[in-house]
Amino acid sequence: MDTAIGGWHTQLYAQLNAALGSVLGERTAKEFQGLRIHTVGDLLRHIPRHYLSGTDLTELASLVPGELVAVTARVASLQQYQSRQTGARSRPGRLEATLTDGDGRLVATFFGKPHLLDWWEAQLRAGVAGLFVGKVGVFRDQLQMSHPTFVMMDAAGRIVASSEEKERLATLSSGGLVGMYPATAKLPTWKVAECARLALAALGDCVDPWPQWLRDQAEVMELREAFAAVHEPTSLAEAARGAARLVFDEAMSTQLTMAYRRADSAARAARPRPRIPDGLLAAFDAQMPFELTAGQQQVSEAIFADLSQSRPMQRLLQGEVGSGKTVVALRAMLAVVDTGGQAALLAPTEVLASQHYQTITGLLKDLGGGRMLGTPEVATDVVVLTGSMSTSAKRSALLRAASGEAGIVIGTHALLADQVQFAELGLVVIDEQHRFGVEQRAVLAGKAEAAPHVLVLTATPIPRSVAMTVFGDLETSTLTELPAGRAEVTTVVVDAATHPQWVDRAWQRVREEVAAGRQVFIVCPRIGGTKTGEGKGVVELAAELGEGPLSDLRLGVLHGQLSSEAKDAAMSSFAAGSVDVLVATTVIEVGVDVPNATMMVVWDADRFGISQLHQLRGRIGRGAHQGVCLLVTSIAVGEPARTRLDAVAATNDGFALAELDLEQRREGDVLGSAQAGSRSSLRLLSVLEHSDVIAQARELAAIAVTRDPNLRTPGFADAIRATDLLAAGDWLEHS
Ligand code: ADP
Ligand code: MG
């Protein structure tokens, strides 16, 4: 191994992870923060969005006023305008160069004393193409650039080295290709280019971090070459090959991390938890209020098979909202309790944790009432633990978890706290994984002596490439069907701008639904909104409805700023049916289960993303009654936000919507907290565009683990460390 600083095994990683200031100086480094570029490696992986070639003329019609651009165009004509005053030969005048792409026109204007204008005119030869860099403006309906920096080209489109300007522009281009970087006002593209070149030049000794066999199989160029290829390309093909290497590196680093993590957990010993025929699980099955669907049965079998192994289960269970994941998870927990172990169920919100507690104790009946006189012999105790519980309630829950008395411990991330101990934690179930990072999973798993089995539940349908990237260390099962007798939800967009009377009609519909004995959710994007001028929030809307159109109904309010008692009270009175209409924020988004709720009105629906809306409406139509979801918006037809709503209204297929969502959003959002930080490990890799690269990297990572099971390859160790560091940074930012 090379000796490198800062805990890195390779010189290259040490250099790439050096702070940018060490190469560019602190002042410049600070300017890069806006581009989320903090290290030398960040900068070198910040690659041009596209390249301008001296041989192609820029389409002038595509220029947007206000943008800073580099334009390749031909000088069509030149005209000097003298000052009109007499004897003004020495006074400043104006030179106009009309540039053209053959079609459109752009006027480059230069101001100066006559001898300067003459000099410029000599540089800007009519009929010759040049590269002009500056800000596009409009003057008298004409595209215009004042004082562009420019260099002229020869017939082959190469920049000619004759002007003084060449010196400045040299940083822009070599071999006639000019990279256009994503830039900021303070950091125009040529400055980014110059800095990238400095960083590249400062990269010293550069042994490629990937071994030769891997580069051969992946058919990628060397890393140092790749950096040069993207920042100083001599051809577009070369630049593309360079970018391909950098994309591959991101895929490979994540896949290596996943592969070693998989191997690591496979090598850890877990206590096998074989299913027993006459325990708690069997007693529960005998009293279950419904038949399992075929899908639930298959997934359960796979889980039981995993649990009986002496290595820890690492399984992801994905299934549409309402597909019945909870009961599958519960049966896994019961199987573990049957072998003397405990199960922890981690939920993303307090509301959901209490909901799970109620659902699970409700399903278990006296099987979940603890081992007391009169309860069945196989019974266990179920406890809930959340951050806002009273100290005494918390103490009691902690005690029962630590003593092993509680077979099932349900909680929010409060379960991650140090003082939470288990007697024998055998299974960790994580609901709605997208809100938890890999690290949190690890913290919880760390509370067990032997590695616990892990089951992750998610209702967000995840396209396969995303699953491989984010959950690549998990086996995946999917519940595709919904339990029989489930009514479909009809979704309608209510255009409040063009048809304000439709909103009144919506409230009328709410009253009808309640009159029919059903219940209604009204969801608002905000808690309180009028102060910020952003429209109504839960508080205002509830007040307005209570005094106006819904004055005869029993309204409840639920949002994140309420105390947890108030939240629980609101939720349980809605669940009990003593509240007709619950006006709430998205705290009801995940998991909340009230089968009698059949209608949902989403206020300012355009504020929500596709997947979120799909999740939200999954809260209704959970019983036998037809559901209806109204998406209220003032956004006009054709706007992107409105198109999203129309898409949600058009289908109930979560997978189709997830794909659409992915196309519309940056991956960071889709990947959730695990990846979306300011220093995401995925700068260039797109889970949509590069799914084939991801698949290839996944295979190669598996080979890497077999060839090097003990992680001796310095570049592998560094790639994994870098990935973990970035993910940890993301997690810290989001927790
Ligand atoms: P999710 O997958 O969204 O977590 P839940 O587990 O909350 O779904 O299940 C939704 C509802 O369907 C619950 O009321 C649950 O009791 C019910 N359910 C689950 N499985 C079945 C089944 N096989 N038959 C009928 N109802 C079921
Ligand atoms: Mg659920």
Side-chain angles (χ1 to χ4, degrees), residues 138-473:
V138 178
F139 185 67
R140 292 192 185 140
D141 281 343
Q142 169 69 58
L143 284 178
Q144 197 235 16
M145 243 184 204
S146 299
H147 276 272
T149 313
F150 68 94
V151 283
M152 303 310 287
M153 306 192 185
D154 65 14
R158 276 189 299 265
I159 290 170
V160 286
S162 59
S163 89
E164 273 175 23
E165 303 285 25
K166 187 233 153 202
E167 197 67 37
R168 266 201 279 165
L169 279 166
T171 53
L172 269 179
S173 164
S174 63
L177 273 185
V178 180
M180 296 301 292
Y181 290 84
T184 64
K186 274 197 190 136
L187 280 172
T189 177
W190 60 79
K191 188 142 182 216
V192 177
E194 191 181 321
C195 292
R197 289 191 168 203
L198 280 174
L200 188 56
L203 265 198
D205 168 34
C206 257
V207 181
D208 197 293
W210 302 141
Q212 187 70 49
W213 71 262
L214 178 57
R215 275 180 283 140
D216 288 349
Q217 292 214 23
E219 297 181 337
V220 289
M221 72 195 324
E222 271 207 53
L223 186 56
R224 167 83 217 234
E225 257 182 71
F227 285 140
V230 294
H231 296 294
E232 303 175 338
T234 52
S235 71
L236 284 176
E238 189 193 8
R241 292 217 305 135
R245 162 70 202 245
L246 301 184
V247 166
F248 172 77
D249 279 20
E250 288 187 4
M252 193 64 206
S253 296
T254 21
Q255 292 307 319
L256 264 184
T257 308
M258 299 296 178
Y260 277 98
R261 210 177 266 160
R262 272 199 309 270
D264 192 48
S265 71
R268 290 177 70 189
R271 218 187 115 182
R273 310 266 175 195
R275 188 175 170 180
I276 59 165
D278 50 2
L280 180 57
L281 174 59
F284 171 72
D285 283 352
Q287 67 165 48
M288 207 165 23
F290 41 71
E291 292 268 308
L292 292 179
T293 64
Q296 283 172 318
Q297 243 150 18
Q298 271 166 20
V299 173
S300 287
E301 288 314 313
I303 291 173
F304 292 135
D306 284 355
L307 289 175
S308 66
Q309 304 289 312
S310 56
R311 62 191 183 92
M313 167 168 77
Q314 301 282 323
R315 187 168 288 275
L316 173 72
L317 170 53
Q318 51 173 332
E320 277 275 9
V321 174
S323 58
K325 297 180 291 295
T326 312
V327 71
V328 172
L330 176 59
R331 294 179 76 238
M333 294 192 258
L334 299 179
V336 168
V337 173
D338 272 337
T339 60
Q342 291 167 287
L345 170 57
L346 193 55
T349 64
E350 298 217 350
V351 169
L352 196 52
S354 357
Q355 172 94 36
H356 272 314
Y357 177 72
Q358 268 150 29
T359 310
I360 285 176
T361 48
L363 281 168
L364 287 175
K365 303 201 181 98
D366 57 358
L367 292 175
R371 277 180 207 181
M372 287 179 292
L373 206 61
T375 60
E377 202 191 322
V378 290
T380 190
D381 198 10
V382 182
V383 301
V384 62
L385 186 73
T386 61
S388 56
M389 271 163 54
S390 74
T391 319
S392 63
K394 231 185 253 176
R395 193 179 308 125
S396 150
L398 285 173
L399 217 59
R400 287 188 284 166
S403 69
E405 202 183 320
I408 297 179
V409 180
I410 300 167
T412 54
H413 54 271
L415 286 185
L416 301 172
D418 280 343
Q419 78 263 34
V420 181
Q421 305 281 328
F422 294 87
E424 196 188 329
L425 182 59
L427 170 66
V428 174
V429 179
I430 300 178
D431 197 9
E432 310 298 346
Q433 157 76 18
H434 56 291
R435 305 223 174 166
F436 286 103
V438 169
E439 291 71 26
Q440 288 154 305
R441 244 194 272 158
V443 169
L444 201 54
K447 291 183 182 292
E449 277 180 22
H453 299 281
V454 176
L455 177 64
V456 173
L457 311 179
T458 176
T460 312
I462 305 167
R464 192 176 137 71
S465 57
V466 181
M468 277 196 296
T469 307
V470 190
F471 306 116
D473 54 341

Side-chain angles (χ1 to χ4, degrees), residues 649-693:
T651 179
N652 278 317
D653 180 343
F655 273 94
L657 290 173
E659 294 278 353
L660 192 68
D661 205 9
L662 192 56
E663 280 163 27
Q664 293 207 343
R665 297 159 61 178
R666 283 184 40 83
E667 268 92 34
D669 301 335
V670 177
L671 302 185
S673 68
Q675 304 289 346
S678 71
R679 289 201 55 209
S680 170
S681 37
L682 304 183
R683 243 171 216 286
L684 303 169
L685 187 71
S686 152
V687 289
L688 261 194
E689 241 179 275
H690 302 123
S691 55
D692 51 341
V693 182

Side-chain angles (χ1 to χ4, degrees), residues 506-580:
W507 304 136
Q508 171 66 28
R509 185 79 178 71
V510 169
R511 286 206 303 277
E512 288 164 16
E513 203 71 13
V514 172
R518 307 279 90 80
Q519 289 165 281
V520 179
F521 287 110
I522 298 175
V523 183
C524 259
R526 284 168 300 273
I527 297 174
T530 43
K531 271 191 221 100
T532 52
E534 282 196 302
K536 265 170 250 165
V538 167
V539 179
E540 295 90 22
L541 189 62
E544 195 182 293
L545 293 172
E547 283 159 23
L550 304 184
S551 58
D552 48 339
L553 306 185
R554 296 168 300 174
L555 299 190
V557 168
L558 177 63
H559 58 71
Q561 278 174 12
L562 297 176
S563 70
S564 73
E565 294 85 58
K567 270 188 266 186
D568 280 347
M571 205 52 235
S572 38
S573 33
F574 189 67
S578 53
V579 158
D580 302 314

